[in-house]
Amino acid sequence: MQTIKSFTPATTVVLQWLVWRKYFDWRIWASLVPIVGGILLTSITELSFNMFGFCAALFGCLATSTKTILAESLLHGYKFDSINTVYYMAPFATMILAVPALLLEGSGVVEWFHTSPSLISSLVLIFGSGVMAFCLNFSIFYVIHSTTAVTFNVAGNLKVAVAVTCSWLIFRNPISALNAVGCAVTLVGCTFYGYVRHMLSQQPPGTPRTPRTPRNRLELLPLVIDKLDDKV
């Protein structure tokens, strides 16, 4: 799963480039190589291929990229804030997940309620997980609002490398030399990406090589016609 998920920054860039016609400096593309490659090295020793799992992870990767791109469009193009974005996305997420949750986990939840020694503790666990989910989504949209969708996904890859490193430093979990090299490569790639983003942010507004975020409804549509885009 982590191997496929490591491609999320790359798929985010490719989708924005192909569908939203957003330009990225060549250094952004170059920085993705060590980021993705490092995570591949970190997780390849635990690779156990399964076609169904592979397809599910790949679909999740594409869905995550699309979600972050749309969130960036709302936050930057329509000037939403983090709370408003959660407010509008949460009902749709509930509708999408309600039916699978009832079919796959409904009986288990009912049995858990019946066997739990205290109903209040069960409700507290459910409510607490909801609060944590809200905080997670709020922080995700806050990061995307402050940066970009690509930066958020790069930070996600950095999280994997940091988690592996912390598991070795704190819990003394053994890691192979290949895992260590992968973490180091990922950290170098993330550092290079941060440097590139900083350099691009120093360019004057309107510089052709500055990555552009969709700023109106027309630019949210795929395959925007250049002439119409210029009129807007």
Side-chain angles (χ1 to χ4, degrees), residues 73-90:
S73 301
L74 291 175
L75 292 165
H76 291 183
Y78 287 95
K79 305 300 182 183
F80 277 30
D81 56 26
S82 303
I83 292 292
N84 283 333
T85 306
V86 175
Y87 175 78
Y88 283 106
M89 283 193 170

Side-chain angles (χ1 to χ4, degrees), residues 145-167:
H145 180 264
S146 303
T147 56
T148 64
V150 179
T151 300
F152 167 75
N153 288 308
V154 168
N157 275 17
L158 177 62
K159 174 195 66 178
V160 178
V162 172
V164 173
T165 304
C166 290
S167 69

Side-chain angles (χ1 to χ4, degrees), residues 1 12 26-27 34 43 52 82 84 90 92 101 129 159 177 205 224 228:
M1 186 273 291
T12 302
W26 69 269
R27 290 169 291 182
S43 55
F52 179 77
S82 303
N84 283 333
F92 292 100
S129 65
K159 174 195 66 178
V224 177
L228 294 177

Side-chain angles (χ1 to χ4, degrees), residues 4-9 11-12 56-66:
I4 303 301
K5 189 178 178 181
S6 65
F7 288 102
T8 303
T11 55
T12 302
L58 184 61
F59 177 78
C61 175
L62 295 174
T64 300
S65 300
T66 304

Side-chain angles (χ1 to χ4, degrees), residues 4 20-21 31 33 39 48 56 58-59 63 71 93 102 107 111 125 128 141 150 158 160 171 177 187-188 230:
I4 303 301
W20 278 269
R21 299 297 179 90
S31 66
V33 175
I39 294 298
S48 179
L58 184 61
F59 177 78
L102 289 174
S107 59
E111 182 181 355
L125 286 175
F141 296 138
V150 179
L158 177 62
V160 178
F171 300 103
L187 293 174
V188 171
D230 292 338

